[in-house]
Amino acid sequence: MPHDDPAIEVASRRARETFGYFWREVWWERRRIVGGLDLAAVKAAFVEGDAVEHLWVVDVDFDGLTVTGTVVNEPLDLTGVRPGDRVDVELDEVEDWLFAVDGLAHGGFTIAAIRAGLGRLARRRHDRAWGLRFPDEVLLVHGQSADPARLDDHPLCLASRADLAATLQVDRSLAMERDEDGFTLLHREAIAGDAPLVVLLLAFGADPAARSPRGLTAEEHAERLGWTRVVEAMHA
């Protein structure tokens, strides 16, 4: 299926609209002692003259506006990008995202569109090539079917509230400090959609007017990613 097919374009738009869920999962994965993800990747188009290729990148980082990752595919025609290259992709250029837990795929909107056009046997071959199980309906969060409340809050976010509160009670300045990249914890949690932690940080004096290195407040980052509960928390 060509990438200018209407179904693929709709799928890519949906992937961009829900990208926050991907990043929330990666954000918490980076804080786990024992990792839980089999795979986390983002797809984008890379252009050289008339040549366009759609490649996946892994080892993803995100500053609220730009995705940074490592190219994993071998391009067919492009000469300026190779597997292992670190690349930057603006959020509005993201075409898809995918993470997997215990072999079950989450996201993969363009993949779902492609699979929908395949026969049963071709679909099986496709899935074997990926080495993943793709559900009939795209999942946004792990455990979504059994616990839809996970769409609102990541379980690790809820589990970490007490520890963060205890830490802030000892040293309230942590709510205002910036990390080595210039972000406050309020920025980080707002970008990840962690509304309960945003509420907690504000209660301990985090500055909602503080701007990230790209010039946005935590609320503005949350608005861009569709985290309405974070935005509401800023005005509670």
mmCIF file of all heavy atoms in Angstrom, residues 98-135:
data_model
loop_
_atom_site.group_PDB
_atom_site.id
_atom_site.type_symbol
_atom_site.label_atom_id
_atom_site.label_comp_id
_atom_site.label_asym_id
_atom_site.label_seq_id
_atom_site.Cartn_x
_atom_site.Cartn_y
_atom_site.Cartn_z
ATOM 1 N N LEU A 98 5.252 2.587 17.514
ATOM 2 C CA LEU A 98 4.996 1.191 17.874
ATOM 3 C C LEU A 98 5.804 0.834 19.106
ATOM 4 O O LEU A 98 6.985 1.166 19.201
ATOM 5 C CB LEU A 98 5.411 0.271 16.715
ATOM 6 C CG LEU A 98 5.382 -1.243 16.958
ATOM 7 C CD1 LEU A 98 3.950 -1.749 17.005
ATOM 8 C CD2 LEU A 98 6.162 -1.965 15.852
ATOM 9 N N PHE A 99 5.155 0.214 20.083
ATOM 10 C CA PHE A 99 5.912 -0.449 21.143
ATOM 11 C C PHE A 99 5.281 -1.814 21.385
ATOM 12 O O PHE A 99 4.110 -2.037 21.052
ATOM 13 C CB PHE A 99 6.004 0.394 22.424
ATOM 14 C CG PHE A 99 4.730 0.559 23.209
ATOM 15 C CD1 PHE A 99 4.304 -0.420 24.110
ATOM 16 C CD2 PHE A 99 3.974 1.714 23.092
ATOM 17 C CE1 PHE A 99 3.138 -0.249 24.856
ATOM 18 C CE2 PHE A 99 2.811 1.892 23.837
ATOM 19 C CZ PHE A 99 2.391 0.907 24.717
ATOM 20 N N ALA A 100 6.060 -2.719 21.920
ATOM 21 C CA ALA A 100 5.584 -4.085 22.143
ATOM 22 C C ALA A 100 5.921 -4.533 23.555
ATOM 23 O O ALA A 100 7.009 -4.254 24.067
ATOM 24 C CB ALA A 100 6.204 -5.042 21.125
ATOM 25 N N VAL A 101 4.975 -5.216 24.161
ATOM 26 C CA VAL A 101 5.145 -5.801 25.492
ATOM 27 C C VAL A 101 4.750 -7.276 25.398
ATOM 28 O O VAL A 101 3.643 -7.592 24.953
ATOM 29 C CB VAL A 101 4.265 -5.103 26.545
ATOM 30 C CG1 VAL A 101 4.502 -5.708 27.924
ATOM 31 C CG2 VAL A 101 4.522 -3.603 26.570
ATOM 32 N N ASP A 102 5.664 -8.161 25.781
ATOM 33 C CA ASP A 102 5.410 -9.607 25.707
ATOM 34 C C ASP A 102 4.928 -10.012 24.317
ATOM 35 O O ASP A 102 4.031 -10.845 24.165
ATOM 36 C CB ASP A 102 4.386 -10.034 26.759
ATOM 37 C CG ASP A 102 4.890 -9.841 28.181
ATOM 38 O OD1 ASP A 102 6.112 -9.929 28.380
ATOM 39 O OD2 ASP A 102 4.066 -9.594 29.083
ATOM 40 N N GLY A 103 5.525 -9.397 23.306
ATOM 41 C CA GLY A 103 5.214 -9.764 21.934
ATOM 42 C C GLY A 103 3.951 -9.161 21.370
ATOM 43 O O GLY A 103 3.616 -9.394 20.203
ATOM 44 N N LEU A 104 3.218 -8.377 22.175
ATOM 45 C CA LEU A 104 1.973 -7.763 21.709
ATOM 46 C C LEU A 104 2.235 -6.324 21.282
ATOM 47 O O LEU A 104 2.773 -5.520 22.059
ATOM 48 C CB LEU A 104 0.920 -7.791 22.815
ATOM 49 C CG LEU A 104 -0.433 -7.143 22.481
ATOM 50 C CD1 LEU A 104 -1.130 -7.899 21.344
ATOM 51 C CD2 LEU A 104 -1.324 -7.091 23.715
ATOM 52 N N ALA A 105 1.853 -5.994 20.063
ATOM 53 C CA ALA A 105 2.098 -4.666 19.503
ATOM 54 C C ALA A 105 1.067 -3.664 19.987
ATOM 55 O O ALA A 105 -0.125 -3.970 20.115
ATOM 56 C CB ALA A 105 2.081 -4.727 17.987
ATOM 57 N N HIS A 106 1.545 -2.454 20.246
ATOM 58 C CA HIS A 106 0.698 -1.309 20.572
ATOM 59 C C HIS A 106 1.047 -0.206 19.591
ATOM 60 O O HIS A 106 2.217 -0.023 19.240
ATOM 61 C CB HIS A 106 0.949 -0.837 22.000
ATOM 62 C CG HIS A 106 0.689 -1.878 23.044
ATOM 63 N ND1 HIS A 106 1.494 -2.997 23.192
ATOM 64 C CD2 HIS A 106 -0.285 -1.985 23.987
ATOM 65 C CE1 HIS A 106 1.026 -3.730 24.186
ATOM 66 N NE2 HIS A 106 -0.046 -3.142 24.679
ATOM 67 N N GLY A 107 0.046 0.585 19.185
ATOM 68 C CA GLY A 107 0.298 1.534 18.115
ATOM 69 C C GLY A 107 0.361 0.787 16.791
ATOM 70 O O GLY A 107 -0.360 -0.175 16.573
ATOM 71 N N GLY A 108 1.218 1.255 15.907
ATOM 72 C CA GLY A 108 1.317 0.606 14.600
ATOM 73 C C GLY A 108 0.101 0.897 13.727
ATOM 74 O O GLY A 108 -0.478 -0.006 13.121
ATOM 75 N N PHE A 109 -0.272 2.157 13.617
ATOM 76 C CA PHE A 109 -1.469 2.543 12.881
ATOM 77 C C PHE A 109 -1.336 2.273 11.384
ATOM 78 O O PHE A 109 -2.272 1.775 10.753
ATOM 79 C CB PHE A 109 -1.765 4.029 13.120
ATOM 80 C CG PHE A 109 -2.118 4.349 14.543
ATOM 81 C CD1 PHE A 109 -1.135 4.619 15.482
ATOM 82 C CD2 PHE A 109 -3.436 4.365 14.954
ATOM 83 C CE1 PHE A 109 -1.462 4.904 16.793
ATOM 84 C CE2 PHE A 109 -3.775 4.653 16.256
ATOM 85 C CZ PHE A 109 -2.785 4.921 17.186
ATOM 86 N N THR A 110 -0.180 2.608 10.811
ATOM 87 C CA THR A 110 0.002 2.329 9.386
ATOM 88 C C THR A 110 0.128 0.825 9.146
ATOM 89 O O THR A 110 -0.288 0.325 8.109
ATOM 90 C CB THR A 110 1.236 3.050 8.824
ATOM 91 O OG1 THR A 110 2.423 2.601 9.488
ATOM 92 C CG2 THR A 110 1.117 4.557 8.990
ATOM 93 N N ILE A 111 0.678 0.127 10.115
ATOM 94 C CA ILE A 111 0.765 -1.336 10.008
ATOM 95 C C ILE A 111 -0.631 -1.934 9.981
ATOM 96 O O ILE A 111 -0.929 -2.841 9.192
ATOM 97 C CB ILE A 111 1.583 -1.913 11.177
ATOM 98 C CG1 ILE A 111 3.032 -1.432 11.100
ATOM 99 C CG2 ILE A 111 1.532 -3.440 11.175
ATOM 100 C CD1 ILE A 111 3.860 -1.799 12.313
ATOM 101 N N ALA A 112 -1.513 -1.417 10.843
ATOM 102 C CA ALA A 112 -2.894 -1.899 10.866
ATOM 103 C C ALA A 112 -3.583 -1.644 9.534
ATOM 104 O O ALA A 112 -4.348 -2.498 9.038
ATOM 105 C CB ALA A 112 -3.662 -1.233 12.004
ATOM 106 N N ALA A 113 -3.312 -0.483 8.919
ATOM 107 C CA ALA A 113 -3.914 -0.170 7.623
ATOM 108 C C ALA A 113 -3.413 -1.127 6.545
ATOM 109 O O ALA A 113 -4.191 -1.573 5.686
ATOM 110 C CB ALA A 113 -3.609 1.276 7.241
ATOM 111 N N ILE A 114 -2.123 -1.445 6.583
ATOM 112 C CA ILE A 114 -1.555 -2.388 5.614
ATOM 113 C C ILE A 114 -2.124 -3.784 5.832
ATOM 114 O O ILE A 114 -2.533 -4.465 4.875
ATOM 115 C CB ILE A 114 -0.022 -2.397 5.728
ATOM 116 C CG1 ILE A 114 0.543 -1.052 5.255
ATOM 117 C CG2 ILE A 114 0.574 -3.553 4.923
ATOM 118 C CD1 ILE A 114 2.016 -0.865 5.562
ATOM 119 N N ARG A 115 -2.184 -4.221 7.084
ATOM 120 C CA ARG A 115 -2.702 -5.563 7.390
ATOM 121 C C ARG A 115 -4.154 -5.726 6.968
ATOM 122 O O ARG A 115 -4.590 -6.808 6.571
ATOM 123 C CB ARG A 115 -2.573 -5.865 8.882
ATOM 124 C CG ARG A 115 -1.153 -6.052 9.361
ATOM 125 C CD ARG A 115 -1.087 -6.323 10.858
ATOM 126 N NE ARG A 115 -1.410 -7.709 11.188
ATOM 127 C CZ ARG A 115 -2.524 -8.085 11.774
ATOM 128 N NH1 ARG A 115 -3.475 -7.202 12.078
ATOM 129 N NH2 ARG A 115 -2.731 -9.367 12.051
ATOM 130 N N ALA A 116 -4.914 -4.630 7.059
ATOM 131 C CA ALA A 116 -6.331 -4.689 6.710
ATOM 132 C C ALA A 116 -6.535 -5.043 5.236
ATOM 133 O O ALA A 116 -7.580 -5.590 4.864
ATOM 134 C CB ALA A 116 -7.013 -3.361 7.028
ATOM 135 N N GLY A 117 -5.538 -4.750 4.411
ATOM 136 C CA GLY A 117 -5.642 -5.041 2.990
ATOM 137 C C GLY A 117 -5.045 -6.376 2.585
ATOM 138 O O GLY A 117 -5.015 -6.699 1.392
ATOM 139 N N LEU A 118 -4.571 -7.137 3.551
ATOM 140 C CA LEU A 118 -3.939 -8.422 3.263
ATOM 141 C C LEU A 118 -4.906 -9.585 3.501
ATOM 142 O O LEU A 118 -5.788 -9.503 4.356
ATOM 143 C CB LEU A 118 -2.710 -8.625 4.160
ATOM 144 C CG LEU A 118 -1.589 -7.603 4.051
ATOM 145 C CD1 LEU A 118 -0.488 -7.932 5.054
ATOM 146 C CD2 LEU A 118 -1.026 -7.558 2.636
ATOM 147 N N GLY A 119 -4.710 -10.647 2.753
ATOM 148 C CA GLY A 119 -5.435 -11.882 3.014
ATOM 149 C C GLY A 119 -4.906 -12.552 4.265
ATOM 150 O O GLY A 119 -3.880 -12.161 4.823
ATOM 151 N N ARG A 120 -5.583 -13.597 4.702
ATOM 152 C CA ARG A 120 -5.227 -14.245 5.959
ATOM 153 C C ARG A 120 -3.799 -14.780 5.950
ATOM 154 O O ARG A 120 -3.043 -14.575 6.898
ATOM 155 C CB ARG A 120 -6.206 -15.387 6.262
ATOM 156 C CG ARG A 120 -5.980 -16.046 7.620
ATOM 157 C CD ARG A 120 -7.054 -17.066 7.900
ATOM 158 N NE ARG A 120 -7.060 -18.125 6.900
ATOM 159 C CZ ARG A 120 -7.912 -19.159 6.908
ATOM 160 N NH1 ARG A 120 -8.857 -19.222 7.837
ATOM 161 N NH2 ARG A 120 -7.849 -20.086 5.974
ATOM 162 N N LEU A 121 -3.410 -15.460 4.890
ATOM 163 C CA LEU A 121 -2.071 -16.038 4.843
ATOM 164 C C LEU A 121 -1.003 -14.948 4.743
ATOM 165 O O LEU A 121 0.045 -15.031 5.399
ATOM 166 C CB LEU A 121 -1.951 -17.006 3.661
ATOM 167 C CG LEU A 121 -2.799 -18.276 3.759
ATOM 168 C CD1 LEU A 121 -2.609 -19.137 2.518
ATOM 169 C CD2 LEU A 121 -2.434 -19.078 5.015
ATOM 170 N N ALA A 122 -1.250 -13.932 3.937
ATOM 171 C CA ALA A 122 -0.296 -12.839 3.813
ATOM 172 C C ALA A 122 -0.152 -12.105 5.142
ATOM 173 O O ALA A 122 0.944 -11.672 5.509
ATOM 174 C CB ALA A 122 -0.743 -11.874 2.723
ATOM 175 N N ARG A 123 -1.252 -11.994 5.869
ATOM 176 C CA ARG A 123 -1.202 -11.332 7.174
ATOM 177 C C ARG A 123 -0.347 -12.145 8.147
ATOM 178 O O ARG A 123 0.422 -11.581 8.914
ATOM 179 C CB ARG A 123 -2.617 -11.164 7.712
ATOM 180 C CG ARG A 123 -2.707 -10.237 8.912
ATOM 181 C CD ARG A 123 -4.152 -10.058 9.338
ATOM 182 N NE ARG A 123 -4.953 -9.439 8.284
ATOM 183 C CZ ARG A 123 -6.262 -9.232 8.383
ATOM 184 N NH1 ARG A 123 -6.913 -9.611 9.471
ATOM 185 N NH2 ARG A 123 -6.918 -8.650 7.405
ATOM 186 N N ARG A 124 -0.467 -13.434 8.089
ATOM 187 C CA ARG A 124 0.357 -14.282 8.958
ATOM 188 C C ARG A 124 1.833 -14.144 8.629
ATOM 189 O O ARG A 124 2.678 -14.069 9.521
ATOM 190 C CB ARG A 124 -0.079 -15.741 8.829
ATOM 191 C CG ARG A 124 -1.413 -16.066 9.485
ATOM 192 C CD ARG A 124 -1.755 -17.530 9.287
ATOM 193 N NE ARG A 124 -3.019 -17.864 9.909
ATOM 194 C CZ ARG A 124 -3.614 -19.051 9.798
ATOM 195 N NH1 ARG A 124 -3.037 -20.009 9.052
ATOM 196 N NH2 ARG A 124 -4.763 -19.282 10.408
ATOM 197 N N ARG A 125 2.148 -14.113 7.336
ATOM 198 C CA ARG A 125 3.554 -13.937 6.937
ATOM 199 C C ARG A 125 4.077 -12.588 7.397
ATOM 200 O O ARG A 125 5.219 -12.477 7.866
ATOM 201 C CB ARG A 125 3.692 -14.088 5.420
ATOM 202 C CG ARG A 125 3.530 -15.502 4.906
ATOM 203 C CD ARG A 125 4.012 -15.629 3.475
ATOM 204 N NE ARG A 125 3.182 -14.846 2.558
ATOM 205 C CZ ARG A 125 2.109 -15.319 1.927
ATOM 206 N NH1 ARG A 125 1.724 -16.573 2.127
ATOM 207 N NH2 ARG A 125 1.423 -14.558 1.092
ATOM 208 N N HIS A 126 3.256 -11.570 7.243
ATOM 209 C CA HIS A 126 3.621 -10.225 7.689
ATOM 210 C C HIS A 126 3.946 -10.220 9.170
ATOM 211 O O HIS A 126 4.975 -9.687 9.610
ATOM 212 C CB HIS A 126 2.470 -9.265 7.381
ATOM 213 C CG HIS A 126 2.608 -7.909 7.995
ATOM 214 N ND1 HIS A 126 2.229 -7.642 9.308
ATOM 215 C CD2 HIS A 126 3.084 -6.743 7.495
ATOM 216 C CE1 HIS A 126 2.457 -6.371 9.574
ATOM 217 N NE2 HIS A 126 2.976 -5.799 8.505
ATOM 218 N N ASP A 127 3.078 -10.839 9.971
ATOM 219 C CA ASP A 127 3.257 -10.821 11.427
ATOM 220 C C ASP A 127 4.476 -11.637 11.841
ATOM 221 O O ASP A 127 5.195 -11.256 12.775
ATOM 222 C CB ASP A 127 2.003 -11.363 12.115
ATOM 223 C CG ASP A 127 0.785 -10.465 11.896
ATOM 224 O OD1 ASP A 127 0.935 -9.398 11.277
ATOM 225 O OD2 ASP A 127 -0.308 -10.856 12.334
ATOM 226 N N ARG A 128 4.720 -12.737 11.152
ATOM 227 C CA ARG A 128 5.917 -13.535 11.450
ATOM 228 C C ARG A 128 7.180 -12.746 11.152
ATOM 229 O O ARG A 128 8.177 -12.848 11.878
ATOM 230 C CB ARG A 128 5.905 -14.851 10.660
ATOM 231 C CG ARG A 128 5.008 -15.934 11.241
ATOM 232 C CD ARG A 128 5.374 -17.305 10.699
ATOM 233 N NE ARG A 128 5.240 -17.369 9.248
ATOM 234 C CZ ARG A 128 4.137 -17.737 8.606
ATOM 235 N NH1 ARG A 128 3.059 -18.058 9.303
ATOM 236 N NH2 ARG A 128 4.097 -17.787 7.297
ATOM 237 N N ALA A 129 7.161 -11.962 10.075
ATOM 238 C CA ALA A 129 8.332 -11.153 9.734
ATOM 239 C C ALA A 129 8.623 -10.138 10.835
ATOM 240 O O ALA A 129 9.786 -9.858 11.140
ATOM 241 C CB ALA A 129 8.113 -10.451 8.394
ATOM 242 N N TRP A 130 7.586 -9.587 11.438
ATOM 243 C CA TRP A 130 7.759 -8.658 12.552
ATOM 244 C C TRP A 130 8.106 -9.384 13.848
ATOM 245 O O TRP A 130 8.745 -8.809 14.735
ATOM 246 C CB TRP A 130 6.476 -7.848 12.771
ATOM 247 C CG TRP A 130 6.372 -6.605 11.963
ATOM 248 C CD1 TRP A 130 5.750 -6.455 10.760
ATOM 249 C CD2 TRP A 130 6.902 -5.312 12.291
ATOM 250 N NE1 TRP A 130 5.855 -5.156 10.321
ATOM 251 C CE2 TRP A 130 6.557 -4.426 11.243
ATOM 252 C CE3 TRP A 130 7.628 -4.821 13.370
ATOM 253 C CZ2 TRP A 130 6.919 -3.091 11.245
ATOM 254 C CZ3 TRP A 130 7.982 -3.479 13.372
ATOM 255 C CH2 TRP A 130 7.630 -2.629 12.317
ATOM 256 N N GLY A 131 7.653 -10.618 13.968
ATOM 257 C CA GLY A 131 7.858 -11.356 15.214
ATOM 258 C C GLY A 131 6.981 -10.847 16.342
ATOM 259 O O GLY A 131 7.344 -10.974 17.526
ATOM 260 N N LEU A 132 5.827 -10.284 15.984
ATOM 261 C CA LEU A 132 4.922 -9.700 16.970
ATOM 262 C C LEU A 132 3.492 -10.160 16.711
ATOM 263 O O LEU A 132 3.151 -10.612 15.617
ATOM 264 C CB LEU A 132 4.956 -8.167 16.894
ATOM 265 C CG LEU A 132 6.274 -7.471 17.208
ATOM 266 C CD1 LEU A 132 6.151 -5.977 16.928
ATOM 267 C CD2 LEU A 132 6.704 -7.705 18.652
ATOM 268 N N ARG A 133 2.667 -10.007 17.741
ATOM 269 C CA ARG A 133 1.232 -10.227 17.609
ATOM 270 C C ARG A 133 0.545 -8.872 17.477
ATOM 271 O O ARG A 133 0.742 -7.992 18.314
ATOM 272 C CB ARG A 133 0.680 -10.963 18.843
ATOM 273 C CG ARG A 133 1.165 -12.406 18.962
ATOM 274 C CD ARG A 133 0.659 -13.067 20.240
ATOM 275 N NE ARG A 133 1.338 -12.542 21.421
ATOM 276 C CZ ARG A 133 0.778 -11.849 22.387
ATOM 277 N NH1 ARG A 133 -0.531 -11.568 22.323
ATOM 278 N NH2 ARG A 133 1.464 -11.416 23.423
ATOM 279 N N PHE A 134 -0.238 -8.718 16.414
ATOM 280 C CA PHE A 134 -0.948 -7.473 16.181
ATOM 281 C C PHE A 134 -2.430 -7.674 16.479
ATOM 282 O O PHE A 134 -3.070 -8.548 15.894
ATOM 283 C CB PHE A 134 -0.761 -7.008 14.733
ATOM 284 C CG PHE A 134 0.635 -6.554 14.429
ATOM 285 C CD1 PHE A 134 1.584 -7.449 13.944
ATOM 286 C CD2 PHE A 134 1.010 -5.238 14.646
ATOM 287 C CE1 PHE A 134 2.876 -7.038 13.669
ATOM 288 C CE2 PHE A 134 2.306 -4.806 14.373
ATOM 289 C CZ PHE A 134 3.246 -5.721 13.889
ATOM 290 N N PRO A 135 -2.991 -6.884 17.382
ATOM 291 C CA PRO A 135 -4.408 -7.038 17.722
ATOM 292 C C PRO A 135 -5.302 -6.544 16.589
ATOM 293 O O PRO A 135 -4.862 -5.823 15.690
ATOM 294 C CB PRO A 135 -4.561 -6.159 18.969
ATOM 295 C CG PRO A 135 -3.516 -5.101 18.802
ATOM 296 C CD PRO A 135 -2.352 -5.783 18.126
#
